Amino acid sequence: MPLNDAARRAESRRIALSSFVGSAIEFYDFLLYGAAASLVFNELFFTDLNALAGTVAAFGTLAVGYVARPLGGIVFGHFGDRVGRKSMLVLTMTLMALASFAIGLLPTYDTIGIWAPMLLVACRLVQGVAVGGEWGGAALMAMEHASAERRGLMASFANMGGPAGAVLATAVFAAFSALPEDEFLAWGWRVPFLLSLLLMAIGLFIRMKVTESPVFAEAQRRAQQEAAEGESGKQEAPLFTVLRRYRKNIVLSCLGGCAALVLQSLLATFMLTYATGVGFERSTVLLAQTVSSALHIFTIPAFAILSDRVGRRPVMITGALLTAAAAFPLFALVNTGSAVALFAAYIIGNPILQASMYGPMAAFVSEMFGTRARYTGASIGYQLATTLGAGTAPLIASSLLAGSGGGTHSAPVSVYLIAVCLISAAAIALTRESHRADIGDGPVRAPVAGRSLSAASR
């Protein structure tokens, strides 16, 4: 039975809350690993390496999770486009929580030797597959329940889960890192991972109450009608549809999203190691991360709303160019050794620069694909961007820093960030504006003069 306007708005709000809370819990688990890779894993799982080499190795295992994310996007995207968005979101949350809980139980290198880092990598692979399927489903559930004028805002609730999860992960990890060093390394670091099961129970309770995407349900109804009337043959696998019809969109969505995700990863993971190397206390850096991430939760939807009004492209391109201009100043602020300057760097970098690109991104990527392959296409495009951007950024940055002599020699890292931002800006400029396009069946195209949005979208 169709919902009236009031019921539809209430359902849309419920879906947005589900996307936000679910993504926050998923990213709590995923980003918790980043904090542990910066501060713990080099000592507990790579003890036969020197400090810098151990950090690089720990960041290498961090990257493994990002490499697995496109696989998760393909697998869960396939079933999300065939079976439905909701059921896949329940499964991704369960997998993520179990993998995180397992990390909290892992023996260290001193106990089981080489098996310790191998099991750590295996758990990280499962985390990567799970979060690879999470983002697309959460973004689409919110966006496909929304009106055209609010798609950017509603889709951004999935991205808001990232900083919310980061706040939760950083706060919990910081609380236990305040323990005496020997207690923290012995058992304190494990507790945040073990809490994953409790968070999973909360998330599943919320997710089980939402309804399936109406856009997906309509696409399924049409597909069944076409099959009954003999108008279509065997339904093509969503992955093949994406590769056949949306190859260019995959490349552009991937490259267009890289700048936001590189900056996100540098601030969330690499900067923790860099700032403590400069001389900041670990607790000070974690507090700066927490404050900036808390502000980030509110600026992401603000930039998404702006993109609903003026378009995805101008907001994201401006953000990428401003980030390129700020690459050297951000590190210069940290190098001063001033806590005020450190907080300024995080606040400029996260809730302003990164949010300007990240806020519109969920809608920007999702609007590039038709309904029957949208989960697969959006997941692949976004997760490839995370792999190339966020997944490799800490490893590349730490390697560049080591090659330049360490310390405050951050110029190569700044140049790397500038190059990524310019590539992203160019890729976004090559896309079509889609903030007012129809997202029904068929590829999304920008409206053409003299044609309706509906006609232009088919």
Side-chain angles (χ1 to χ4, degrees):
M1 180 178 178
L3 299 175
N4 58 37
D5 289 344
R8 188 178 295 110
R9 286 193 296 270
E11 178 65 9
S12 181
R13 289 192 294 270
R14 188 159 49 247
I15 295 294
L17 176 64
S18 169
S19 293
F20 170 68
V21 173
S23 293
I25 292 172
E26 288 261 2
F27 279 98
Y28 164 84
D29 290 326
F30 196 74
L31 297 174
L32 188 64
Y33 190 103
S38 298
L39 301 174
V40 174
F41 290 160
N42 60 328
E43 297 186 44
L44 298 180
F45 291 89
F46 303 97
T47 54
D48 58 342
L49 301 175
N50 62 47
L52 184 57
T55 299
V56 172
F59 283 153
T61 65
L62 178 73
V64 165
Y66 286 96
V67 171
R69 287 174 69 159
L71 175 61
I74 292 172
V75 172
F76 288 103
H78 173 86
F79 291 102
D81 283 324
R82 284 292 183 85
V83 179
R85 305 351 185 173
K86 176 180 174 178
S87 56
M88 294 304 103
L89 289 175
V90 170
L91 184 54
T92 59
M93 179 173 287
T94 303
L95 280 177
M96 175 63 81
L98 293 177
S100 297
F101 185 79
I103 290 174
L105 298 176
L106 284 181
T108 63
Y109 188 93
D110 289 340
T111 304
I112 59 173
I114 191 63
W115 283 102
M118 291 177 65
L119 290 172
L120 183 66
V121 169
C123 291
R124 185 60 176 172
L125 281 170
V126 175
Q127 280 192 325
V129 170
V131 82
E134 160 69 23
W135 181 88
L140 298 192
M141 280 287 281
M143 188 186 80
E144 291 178 347
H145 275 84
S147 63
E149 295 78 14
R150 292 165 55 87
R151 286 202 305 258
L153 170 61
M154 300 306 287
S156 74
F157 276 84
N159 282 357
M160 289 164 61
V167 169
L168 185 59
T170 304
V172 172
F173 205 78
F176 284 94
S177 69
L179 291 167
E181 188 76 10
D182 57 341
E183 293 185 31
F184 176 64
L185 293 177
W187 61 269
W189 70 271
R190 298 179 181 276
V191 179
F193 288 96
L194 298 177
L195 290 174
S196 297
L197 287 188
L198 174 61
L199 295 176
M200 179 188 74
I202 296 171
L204 290 180
F205 175 78
I206 295 173
R207 283 204 161 158
M208 294 299 291
K209 292 181 175 294
V210 302
T211 59
E212 184 57 84
S213 156
V215 175
F216 172 79
E218 175 61 19
Q220 287 293 87
R221 186 193 66 78
R222 290 182 180 178
Q224 293 170 359
Q225 182 178 358
E226 290 170 1
E229 296 174 355
E231 295 180 4
S232 63
K234 185 178 180 181
Q235 189 174 357
E236 185 178 48
L239 177 60
F240 294 153
T241 301
V242 169
L243 295 177
R244 180 172 58 84
R245 299 180 62 186
Y246 302 109
R247 291 189 298 272
K248 179 180 177 182
N249 290 10
I250 288 289
V251 174
L252 293 179
S253 61
C254 170
L255 295 180
C258 274
L261 294 163
V262 164
L263 181 59
Q264 178 190 71
S265 189
L266 289 178
L267 292 170
T269 304
F270 170 76
M271 192 63 81
L272 185 55
T273 300
Y274 181 82
T276 53
V278 169
F280 287 100
E281 293 293 329
R282 179 172 61 194
S283 58
T284 301
V285 184
L286 290 173
L287 180 59
Q289 282 189 351
T290 303
V291 170
S292 68
S293 295
L295 294 173
H296 206 192
I297 297 170
F298 300 98
T299 56
I300 283 175
F303 282 106
I305 291 171
L306 181 61
S307 79
D308 277 333
R309 295 180 179 179
V310 304
R312 320 293 182 214
R313 296 166 72 248
V315 177
M316 295 179 70
I317 290 173
T318 300
L321 296 179
L322 289 176
T323 301
F328 278 95
L330 286 176
F331 282 98
L333 285 170
V334 178
N335 292 341
T336 64
S338 164
V340 173
L342 176 70
F343 273 76
Y346 266 102
I347 291 172
I348 293 170
N350 243 349
I352 298 176
L353 295 177
Q354 204 276 345
S356 66
M357 299 179 284
Y358 199 54
M361 188 185 296
F364 168 76
V365 174
S366 300
E367 288 168 348
M368 289 187 175
F369 304 94
T371 304
R372 298 186 191 185
R374 183 172 293 129
Y375 200 142
T376 301
S379 294
I380 293 174
Y382 181 83
Q383 301 307 337
L384 285 176
T386 65
T387 300
L388 294 177
T392 60
L395 185 60
I396 291 173
S398 59
S399 299
L400 289 172
L401 186 65
S404 64
T408 60
H409 299 148
S410 59
V413 182
S414 296
V415 172
Y416 160 60
L417 179 58
I418 290 170
V420 173
C421 288
L422 294 180
I423 291 171
S424 286
I428 296 166
L430 292 174
T431 65
R432 299 186 181 194
E433 184 54 65
S434 60
H435 75 301
R436 286 292 183 266
D438 189 347
I439 62 167
D441 282 345
V444 175
R445 299 187 177 90
V448 178
R451 296 172 63 189
S452 69
L453 286 174
S454 178
S457 70
R458 293 185 171 84

